[in-house]
Amino acid sequence: MPVEADAIVIGGGPAGATAATVMAMDGRRVVLIERERFPRYHVGESLLPATVQGVCRFLGVDREIARAGFTRKFGATFRWGPSEEPWHVGFAEAVFGGHSGRPVFAYQVERSKFDAILLANARRHGVRVRAGWRAVEAIAEGGRVSGVIARDAVGRATELRAPWVVDASGQAGVLATKLGRRDYDPFFRNIAVFGYFAGGRRQAGPRRGNVMSAAFRDGWIWYIPLADGLTSVGAVVRPEEAATIRRIGAPAALARYIAACPIVAAQLAGVARVARGALGETRVMKDYSYSTRTLWTGGAALVGDAAMFIDPLFSSGVHLATYSGLLAARAINTCLAGELDEARAFGEFARRYRREFAMFYEFLFAFYEAHLDDTSAFWTARKMLGIRGAAPREALVRLLAGLGQAEGEPGAMAGVLRSLERQMDAMRATMAGRAPGGVRARELRQRLRTQARERLSLHALSETAGARRTGRARTPRPLFTDGLVPSADGLRWRVPRSGSGASR
Ligand code: FAD
């Protein structure tokens, strides 16, 4: 007998757990299949306030996460740009709409624990979670997706049927790789080598929990202070380093990159790597920067890493995963309630999702551009690709424009491209007269800081979450001309009252 539901979610990571919970909160019958048994290891530990104080609050799980004892992250520290000196961005500087006056923070989390909390919360909301079940393929009928074939915990094939399937299977992209073409990004095509250290020095005072990103000759390194006595460290390097990593082994390669990055080496002096368990492994990942042209089709939507991911530098992955999960769930709830047609509800999902992605993309792009080091293969390759090389640049433009065309949004994407050009021009102008430690370096730092502040504020999302908890709902304005707004409870899309114009 097939399993029947209103929606099936493939994958129980942050994207899937969020989508499933938001649908269950609207009274829908949701089945979530997850191939692993939680807790399971996952990379991606540094979160943003929008996740912690936005989506988690919306899902009603913020207090439990607060009790879990994760390290509080009040901002980020960078060794980036022409000066050797580190500099800092605090979330408190950000205008975090609806939360001003409160401390603004995120967490550094062990994902095995964080993801398990989100999934248990989904269960509490009534989501039927099938752990150890693996989705194999979509069931398609009459041009629509109408379910999934899965292997249950003992390997039996089972049919699950529902009017909507959400692919939240992360990089596996069970439906994503079939429904829409994945475009691998030419600019962020890197390799990450990462492991865990049993200790590691901390910055003083409120910067104790800051994530640190330090550029060095071969790329850049993340330094994430997890619990006391546990630090996540990863190097992002050129794909051409793959041969060396294979030859000397991932642990030796990571040690070599750390040694070449003095600010991180100093934090880890005398500290050993974790030797055992899931954190005892040094891992290598590649091909993680991509986006998918089609984000939804009749009966299916793609969210989180199944749809797109850019780069670890700005800790945007879990935010984009949970945010897209929320947006897609609203669209499904709206359609199941028969309130709006699919094209309208999912059009809103896709536009908002792409807009958020494009904002991070544009910012990350400019940020990589801002670190000049003409003596390094990693950094000059990025310059060639981004500014001087016409062909890869066209590829980037096509990537962005292609996304826009797929959603019938050429206007919005043209705007993104124009703003990308402007930002890069400004960066180039700033850096033209650079002098390490001099006025130009200070100016550049200031510029990057301002941008970080703007991007990390993510006000649209926090407004929704804040309104739900406090009951102080503001009249939401659409983000796009002819766009939709969230319903008062945040669970569906609705047509805005006439007169509430687009906010940008
Ligand atoms: P996932 O978390 O990958 O969850 C997908 C789930 O689907 C998994 O549990 C998997 O078991 C399940 N699944 C897969 N296939 C099937 C199937 N066939 N059937 C059933 N279930 C299935 N993000 C940050 O926010 N901060 C960071 O610091 C950060 N660092 C990163 C560093 C690196 C090197 C990389 C590559 C990424 C990083 N990210 C970071 C990104 C982050 O890891 C992801 O964006 C995030 O985990 C996406 O969540 P998701 O729910 O979409 O997918």
Side-chain angles (χ1 to χ4, degrees), residues 10-16 33-36 38 40 42-48 111 115 133-136 168-174 192 194 222 224 236 285 288 303-306 308-309 311-312 314-319 321:
I10 308 172
I33 52 179
E34 165 55 56
R35 102 188 140 183
E36 307 276 341
F38 281 25
R40 58 93 175 87
H42 206 291
V43 72
E45 294 123 342
S46 195
L47 305 187
L48 291 182
R111 285 284 303 278
D115 290 12
W133 285 41
R134 189 169 59 84
V136 183
S169 61
Q171 285 195 345
V174 179
F194 50 97
W222 76 70
I224 302 176
V236 174
M285 277 179 84
Y288 50 72
V303 295
D305 277 13
M308 52 182 98
F309 178 65
D311 187 82
F314 276 101
S315 313
S316 58
V318 173
H319 161 61

Coordinates of all heavy atoms in Angstrom, one line a residue, residues 10-16 33-36 38 40 42-48 111 115 133-136 168-174 192 194 222 224 236 285 288 303-306 308-309 311-312 314-319 321, ligand 1:
I10 N 12.2 15.0 1.2 CA 13.3 14.1 1.1 C 14.5 14.8 1.8 O 15.0 15.9 1.3 CB 13.7 13.8 -0.4 CG1 12.5 13.3 -1.2 CG2 14.9 12.8 -0.4 CD1 12.8 13.2 -2.7
G11 N 15.0 14.3 2.9 CA 16.1 14.8 3.6 C 15.7 15.6 4.9 O 14.8 16.4 4.9
G12 N 16.4 15.2 6.0 CA 16.1 15.8 7.3 C 17.1 16.8 7.8 O 17.2 17.0 9.0
G13 N 17.9 17.4 6.9 CA 18.8 18.5 7.3 C 18.0 19.8 7.6 O 16.8 19.7 7.7
P14 N 18.7 20.9 7.8 CA 18.0 22.1 8.1 C 16.9 22.5 7.1 O 15.8 23.0 7.5 CB 19.1 23.2 8.1 CG 20.4 22.4 8.4 CD 20.1 21.1 7.8
A15 N 17.1 22.3 5.8 CA 16.1 22.7 4.8 C 14.9 21.8 4.9 O 13.8 22.3 5.0 CB 16.7 22.6 3.4
G16 N 15.1 20.5 5.0 CA 14.0 19.6 5.1 C 13.2 19.7 6.4 O 11.9 19.7 6.3
I33 N 11.5 11.7 4.7 CA 12.4 10.5 4.7 C 13.8 10.9 4.8 O 14.2 11.9 4.1 CB 12.1 9.6 3.5 CG1 12.1 10.3 2.2 CG2 10.8 8.8 3.6 CD1 11.9 9.5 1.0
E34 N 14.6 10.3 5.6 CA 16.0 10.7 5.9 C 16.8 9.4 5.8 O 16.5 8.4 6.5 CB 16.1 11.4 7.2 CG 17.5 11.5 7.7 CD 18.5 12.2 6.8 OE1 18.2 13.3 6.4 OE2 19.5 11.6 6.5
R35 N 17.8 9.4 4.9 CA 18.6 8.2 4.7 C 19.4 7.8 5.9 O 19.7 6.6 6.1 CB 19.3 8.3 3.4 CG 20.8 8.5 3.5 CD 21.4 8.8 2.2 NE 22.4 9.9 2.4 CZ 23.1 10.5 1.5 NH1 23.0 10.2 0.3 NH2 23.9 11.4 1.9
E36 N 19.8 8.8 6.7 CA 20.7 8.5 7.9 C 19.9 8.3 9.1 O 18.7 8.7 9.2 CB 21.7 9.6 8.1 CG 22.5 10.1 6.9 CD 23.7 9.2 6.8 OE1 24.1 8.6 7.7 OE2 24.2 9.2 5.6
F38 N 19.8 9.9 12.8 CA 20.4 11.1 13.5 C 20.8 10.6 15.0 O 20.1 9.8 15.5 CB 19.5 12.2 13.6 CG 19.4 13.0 12.3 CD1 19.8 12.5 11.1 CD2 19.1 14.4 12.3 CE1 19.8 13.2 9.9 CE2 19.0 15.1 11.1 CZ 19.4 14.5 9.9
R40 N 23.9 12.5 13.0 CA 24.9 12.2 12.0 C 25.8 13.4 11.8 O 25.4 14.6 11.9 CB 24.2 11.8 10.7 CG 23.2 12.8 10.0 CD 23.9 13.6 9.0 NE 23.0 14.5 8.3 CZ 22.7 15.7 8.7 NH1 23.1 16.2 9.9 NH2 21.9 16.5 8.0
H42 N 27.8 16.4 10.0 CA 27.7 17.2 8.8 C 28.6 18.5 8.9 O 28.7 19.0 10.0 CB 26.2 17.7 8.6 CG 25.8 18.0 7.2 ND1 26.4 19.1 6.5 CD2 25.0 17.4 6.3 CE1 25.9 19.1 5.3 NE2 25.1 18.1 5.1
V43 N 29.1 18.9 7.8 CA 29.9 20.1 7.8 C 29.0 21.3 7.8 O 27.8 21.2 7.4 CB 30.9 20.2 6.6 CG1 30.1 20.4 5.3 CG2 32.0 21.2 6.8
G44 N 29.4 22.5 8.2 CA 28.6 23.7 8.1 C 28.1 24.2 9.4 O 26.9 24.3 9.7
E45 N 29.1 24.6 10.3 CA 28.8 24.8 11.7 C 28.6 26.2 12.1 O 28.1 26.5 13.2 CB 30.0 24.3 12.5 CG 30.1 22.8 12.4 CD 31.5 22.3 11.9 OE1 32.2 23.2 11.3 OE2 31.8 21.1 12.0
S46 N 28.9 27.2 11.3 CA 28.8 28.6 11.7 C 27.5 29.2 11.2 O 27.3 29.2 10.0 CB 30.0 29.3 11.1 OG 30.2 30.6 11.7
L47 N 26.7 29.6 12.1 CA 25.3 30.0 11.6 C 25.2 31.5 11.6 O 26.1 32.3 12.0 CB 24.3 29.5 12.6 CG 24.3 28.0 12.8 CD1 23.1 27.6 13.7 CD2 24.2 27.2 11.5
L48 N 24.1 32.0 11.1 CA 23.9 33.5 11.0 C 22.7 33.8 12.0 O 21.8 32.9 12.2 CB 23.5 33.9 9.6 CG 24.6 33.9 8.6 CD1 24.1 34.4 7.2 CD2 25.8 34.7 9.0
R111 N 26.9 20.3 14.0 CA 25.6 20.0 13.2 C 24.9 18.7 13.6 O 23.7 18.6 13.5 CB 26.0 20.0 11.7 CG 26.2 21.4 11.2 CD 25.0 22.2 11.0 NE 24.1 21.5 10.1 CZ 24.2 21.5 8.8 NH1 25.0 22.2 8.2 NH2 23.3 20.8 8.0
D115 N 21.1 19.7 14.0 CA 20.2 19.1 13.0 C 19.2 18.1 13.7 O 18.0 18.1 13.4 CB 20.9 18.4 11.9 CG 21.6 19.3 11.0 OD1 21.8 20.5 11.3 OD2 22.1 18.9 9.9
W133 N 15.5 5.7 5.7 CA 14.8 5.5 4.4 C 15.5 6.3 3.3 O 15.8 7.5 3.6 CB 13.3 5.9 4.5 CG 12.4 5.0 5.2 CD1 12.7 4.3 6.3 CD2 11.1 4.7 4.8 NE1 11.6 3.6 6.7 CE2 10.6 3.8 5.8 CE3 10.2 5.0 3.8 CZ2 9.3 3.2 5.7 CZ3 9.0 4.5 3.7 CH2 8.5 3.6 4.7
R134 N 15.7 5.7 2.2 CA 16.4 6.4 1.1 C 15.5 6.6 -0.1 O 15.0 5.7 -0.6 CB 17.6 5.6 0.7 CG 18.6 6.3 -0.2 CD 19.9 5.5 -0.3 NE 19.7 4.2 -0.9 CZ 19.6 3.9 -2.1 NH1 19.7 4.8 -3.1 NH2 19.3 2.6 -2.5
A135 N 15.3 7.9 -0.5 CA 14.5 8.2 -1.7 C 15.3 7.7 -2.9 O 16.5 8.0 -3.0 CB 14.2 9.7 -1.8
V136 N 14.7 7.0 -3.8 CA 15.4 6.5 -5.0 C 15.0 7.3 -6.2 O 15.9 7.8 -7.0 CB 15.1 5.0 -5.2 CG1 15.9 4.5 -6.4 CG2 15.4 4.2 -3.9
A168 N 15.0 18.1 -0.4 CA 15.9 18.8 0.6 C 17.0 17.8 0.9 O 17.5 17.7 2.0 CB 15.1 19.2 1.9
S169 N 17.4 17.1 -0.1 CA 18.4 16.0 0.1 C 19.9 16.5 0.0 O 20.8 15.7 -0.2 CB 18.2 14.9 -0.9 OG 18.3 15.3 -2.2
G170 N 20.1 17.8 0.1 CA 21.4 18.4 0.1 C 22.1 18.1 -1.2 O 21.5 18.1 -2.3
Q171 N 23.5 17.9 -1.1 CA 24.2 17.8 -2.4 C 23.8 16.6 -3.2 O 24.0 16.6 -4.4 CB 25.7 17.6 -2.0 CG 26.4 18.9 -1.6 CD 27.9 18.7 -1.6 OE1 28.4 17.6 -1.6 NE2 28.6 19.8 -1.5
A172 N 23.2 15.6 -2.6 CA 22.7 14.4 -3.3 C 21.7 14.9 -4.4 O 21.7 14.3 -5.5 CB 22.1 13.4 -2.4
G173 N 20.9 15.8 -4.1 CA 19.9 16.4 -5.0 C 19.1 15.3 -5.8 O 19.1 15.2 -7.0
V174 N 18.4 14.4 -5.0 CA 17.8 13.3 -5.6 C 16.9 13.7 -6.8 O 17.0 13.1 -7.9 CB 16.9 12.6 -4.5 CG1 16.2 11.4 -5.1 CG2 17.8 12.1 -3.3
A192 N 37.7 22.1 -0.3 CA 37.9 22.4 1.1 C 38.5 21.1 1.8 O 38.1 20.0 1.5 CB 36.5 22.7 1.7
F194 N 39.2 19.9 5.7 CA 38.9 20.3 7.0 C 38.9 19.2 8.1 O 38.7 18.0 7.8 CB 37.5 21.0 7.0 CG 36.4 20.2 6.4 CD1 35.5 19.5 7.1 CD2 36.2 20.3 5.0 CE1 34.5 18.8 6.5 CE2 35.2 19.6 4.3 CZ 34.3 18.8 5.1
W222 N 39.1 28.7 7.5 CA 38.1 29.1 8.6 C 38.5 28.5 9.9 O 39.1 27.4 10.0 CB 36.7 28.6 8.2 CG 36.4 27.1 8.3 CD1 36.2 26.4 9.5 CD2 36.1 26.2 7.3 NE1 35.9 25.1 9.2 CE2 35.8 24.9 7.9 CE3 36.1 26.3 5.9 CZ2 35.5 23.8 7.1 CZ3 35.8 25.2 5.1 CH2 35.5 23.9 5.8
I224 N 36.6 28.0 13.4 CA 35.3 28.1 14.1 C 35.4 27.5 15.5 O 35.6 26.3 15.7 CB 34.2 27.3 13.3 CG1 34.1 27.8 11.9 CG2 32.8 27.4 14.1 CD1 33.1 27.0 11.0
V236 N 40.3 26.4 2.3 CA 39.7 26.4 1.0 C 40.8 26.8 0.0 O 41.4 27.8 0.1 CB 38.5 27.5 0.9 CG1 38.0 27.6 -0.5 CG2 37.4 27.0 1.9
M285 N 36.3 18.1 0.4 CA 35.0 18.3 -0.4 C 35.3 19.1 -1.6 O 36.0 20.1 -1.5 CB 33.9 18.9 0.4 CG 33.2 17.9 1.3 SD 31.9 18.7 2.3 CE 30.6 18.8 1.1
Y288 N 31.1 21.8 -4.7 CA 30.0 22.2 -3.8 C 29.3 23.6 -4.2 O 28.4 24.0 -3.6 CB 30.4 22.2 -2.3 CG 31.7 23.0 -2.0 CD1 31.7 24.4 -2.1 CD2 32.8 22.3 -1.7 CE1 32.9 25.1 -1.8 CE2 34.0 23.0 -1.4 CZ 34.0 24.4 -1.5 OH 35.2 25.0 -1.2
V303 N 15.0 22.8 -2.4 CA 15.4 23.8 -1.4 C 16.8 23.4 -0.8 O 17.2 22.2 -1.0 CB 14.4 23.8 -0.2 CG1 13.0 24.3 -0.6 CG2 14.2 22.4 0.5
G304 N 17.4 24.4 -0.2 CA 18.7 24.1 0.4 C 19.8 23.7 -0.6 O 19.7 24.1 -1.8
D305 N 20.7 22.9 -0.1 CA 21.8 22.5 -1.0 C 21.3 21.7 -2.2 O 22.1 21.5 -3.2 CB 22.8 21.7 -0.2 CG 23.8 22.5 0.6 OD1 23.6 23.7 0.7 OD2 24.8 22.0 1.0
A306 N 20.2 21.1 -2.1 CA 19.7 20.4 -3.3 C 19.5 21.3 -4.4 O 19.7 21.0 -5.6 CB 18.3 19.7 -3.0
M308 N 21.0 24.9 -4.4 CA 22.1 25.7 -4.7 C 23.0 25.9 -3.4 O 22.5 25.9 -2.3 CB 21.7 27.1 -5.2 CG 20.6 27.8 -4.4 SD 20.1 29.3 -5.2 CE 18.7 28.9 -6.1
F309 N 24.3 26.1 -3.6 CA 25.2 26.6 -2.5 C 26.3 27.3 -3.2 O 26.7 27.1 -4.3 CB 25.7 25.3 -1.8 CG 26.7 25.7 -0.7 CD1 26.3 26.5 0.4 CD2 28.0 25.4 -0.8 CE1 27.2 26.8 1.4 CE2 28.9 25.7 0.2 CZ 28.5 26.5 1.3
D311 N 29.5 29.1 -1.2 CA 30.8 29.1 -0.7 C 30.7 29.2 0.8 O 29.8 29.9 1.4 CB 31.6 30.3 -1.2 CG 33.0 30.3 -0.9 OD1 33.8 29.6 -1.5 OD2 33.4 31.0 0.1
P312 N 31.6 28.5 1.6 CA 31.5 28.6 3.0 C 31.8 30.0 3.7 O 31.5 30.2 4.8 CB 32.5 27.6 3.5 CG 33.1 26.9 2.4 CD 32.7 27.6 1.1
F314 N 30.8 33.0 4.0 CA 29.9 33.9 4.8 C 28.9 33.1 5.6 O 27.8 33.6 6.0 CB 29.3 35.0 4.0 CG 30.2 36.1 3.9 CD1 31.0 36.3 2.8 CD2 30.4 36.9 5.0 CE1 31.9 37.4 2.8 CE2 31.3 37.9 5.0 CZ 32.1 38.2 3.9
S315 N 29.1 31.8 5.8 CA 28.2 31.0 6.6 C 26.8 31.1 6.1 O 25.8 31.2 6.9 CB 28.3 31.4 8.1 OG 29.6 31.6 8.5
S316 N 26.6 31.2 4.8 CA 25.2 31.4 4.3 C 24.5 30.1 4.1 O 23.3 30.1 3.8 CB 25.3 32.2 3.0 OG 26.1 31.4 2.1
G317 N 25.1 28.9 4.2 CA 24.5 27.7 3.7 C 23.3 27.3 4.5 O 22.2 27.1 4.0
V318 N 23.4 27.3 5.9 CA 22.2 26.9 6.7 C 21.2 28.0 6.6 O 20.0 27.7 6.6 CB 22.7 26.6 8.1 CG1 21.5 26.4 9.0 CG2 23.6 25.4 8.2
H319 N 21.6 29.2 6.5 CA 20.6 30.3 6.4 C 19.8 30.1 5.1 O 18.5 30.1 5.1 CB 21.2 31.6 6.4 CG 20.4 32.7 5.8 ND1 19.1 33.0 6.3 CD2 20.5 33.5 4.6 CE1 18.6 34.0 5.6 NE2 19.4 34.2 4.5
A321 N 19.4 27.4 3.4 CA 18.6 26.2 3.5 C 17.3 26.4 4.3 O 16.2 26.0 3.8 CB 19.5 25.1 4.2
Ligands
FAD1 P1 21.9 18.8 4.3 O1 22.3 19.4 5.5 O2 23.0 18.2 3.5 O3 20.8 17.7 4.5 C1 20.4 16.8 3.5 C2 19.9 15.6 4.2 O4 19.4 14.7 3.1 C3 21.0 14.7 4.8 O5 20.7 14.5 6.2 C4 21.1 13.5 4.0 O6 21.4 12.3 4.8 C5 19.7 13.4 3.4 N1 19.6 12.6 2.1 C6 20.5 12.7 1.1 N2 20.1 11.9 0.1 C7 18.9 11.3 0.6 C8 18.1 10.3 0.0 N3 18.3 9.7 -1.2 N4 17.0 9.9 0.7 C9 16.7 10.4 2.0 N5 17.6 11.3 2.5 C10 18.6 11.8 1.8 N6 26.9 26.5 6.0 C11 26.9 27.3 7.0 O7 25.8 27.9 7.3 N7 27.9 27.6 7.8 C12 29.2 27.1 7.5 O8 30.1 27.3 8.3 C13 29.3 26.2 6.4 N8 30.5 25.7 6.1 C14 30.6 24.8 5.0 C15 31.8 24.3 4.6 C16 31.9 23.5 3.5 C17 33.2 23.0 3.1 C18 30.7 23.2 2.7 C19 30.8 22.4 1.5 C20 29.5 23.8 3.1 C21 29.4 24.6 4.2 N9 28.2 25.1 4.6 C22 28.1 26.0 5.7 C23 27.0 24.8 3.9 C24 26.1 23.8 4.7 O9 26.7 22.7 5.0 C25 24.8 23.5 3.8 O10 24.4 24.6 3.1 C26 23.7 23.0 4.6 O11 24.0 21.8 5.3 C27 22.5 22.7 3.7 O12 21.4 22.1 4.4 P2 20.4 21.2 3.7 O13 19.3 20.8 4.6 O14 20.0 21.7 2.4 O15 21.2 19.9 3.3

